[in-house]
Amino acid sequence: MAQSRGVSSKVSQWQHHADTHQQKQLINPFSEWQDASHREALTKDDQQYGRPEEGSKTESRGKSAGILISGEVLQLCHVIKNEGALQPDGRYAIKFGILFERYTKISNKLVGMLMRARKQKLVDYEGEMLYQRRDDDTLIVLLRLPEDVTTDERDYWNLKAK
């Protein structure tokens, strides 16, 4: 009797797993299953557009990566403030060549972090992409320090540059 409960429990558990998989395949836009009712296309105004399924491992990994990158952007801004020169307008600025020398001891992703910081309106510089040696004299200006960097995964999706 105890063995049959164990087996029926396993069968029930397996059936639940199979049913869950089938439901996911029926809404999968790439599924070739017969009777698959393809998911409605999301609009850019939809809050779930461009975001992973809530509670998924993808969401968790994305949050963790975003928090790490936000921390690196914050660190970059502090390096610019600490190593840069105070300008007459009250902002800190540093030449790309000097920043490259200082920051590469911390991380090898300087150009990517600068691009992300500029997208968040934290720094400004001329040109689209900066290259070592060619752009060594380009001035990187710290517009402001970020105030919204969080280490709490629950708050990650709410991050916005202020």
Side-chain angles (χ1 to χ4, degrees):
M1 180 98 171
Q3 187 179 11
S4 70
R5 262 189 273 146
V7 170
S8 65
S9 171
K10 295 283 185 191
V11 168
S12 172
Q13 194 175 28
W14 180 254
Q15 189 60 48
H16 174 71
H17 178 70
D19 292 342
T20 302
H21 176 71
Q22 182 178 11
Q23 290 304 315
K24 286 183 179 179
Q25 287 303 308
L26 290 175
I27 61 170
N28 181 347
F30 304 106
S31 174
E32 294 181 4
W33 281 30
Q34 186 178 3
D35 300 331
S37 59
H38 293 287
R39 185 181 301 194
E40 235 180 84
L42 297 175
T43 66
K44 289 188 177 185
D45 298 328
D46 192 322
Q47 285 192 338
Q48 294 305 312
Y49 183 80
R51 292 194 176 169
E53 190 175 313
E54 215 173 298
S56 67
K57 288 182 181 179
T58 302
E59 179 191 39
S60 176
R61 287 188 292 261
K63 285 179 180 181
S64 296
I67 289 167
L68 286 172
I69 290 170
S70 295
E72 280 198 43
V73 168
L74 176 65
Q75 187 176 27
L76 170 64
C77 290
H78 282 290
V79 168
I80 294 171
K81 182 179 178 192
N82 294 335
E83 300 290 329
L86 186 60
Q87 303 297 297
D89 63 1
R91 296 178 176 167
Y92 289 89
I94 188 170
K95 289 185 177 183
F96 175 68
I98 296 169
L99 181 61
F100 191 89
E101 287 176 23
R102 303 286 198 289
Y103 194 76
T104 52
K105 294 178 178 131
I106 299 168
S107 173
N108 62 353
K109 301 180 225 56
L110 173 61
V111 175
M113 292 299 116
L114 282 170
M115 290 171 67
R116 182 155 178 134
R118 181 163 71 175
K119 186 176 181 181
Q120 295 176 2
K121 296 177 176 46
L122 300 173
V123 301
D124 194 24
Y125 54 89
E126 284 186 27
E128 288 297 313
M129 180 71 92
L130 297 172
Y131 295 95
Q132 188 181 11
R133 293 185 185 82
R134 184 189 83 176
D135 295 314
D136 281 353
D137 292 330
T138 300
L139 209 57
I140 311 291
V141 178
L142 179 64
L143 302 175
R144 63 181 181 80
L145 284 172
E147 302 162 4
D148 56 359
V149 174
T150 181
T151 56
D152 187 353
E153 281 192 12
R154 291 169 293 180
D155 292 339
Y156 174 70
W157 294 120
N158 298 322
L159 288 180
K160 292 197 173 42
K162 292 182 181 180

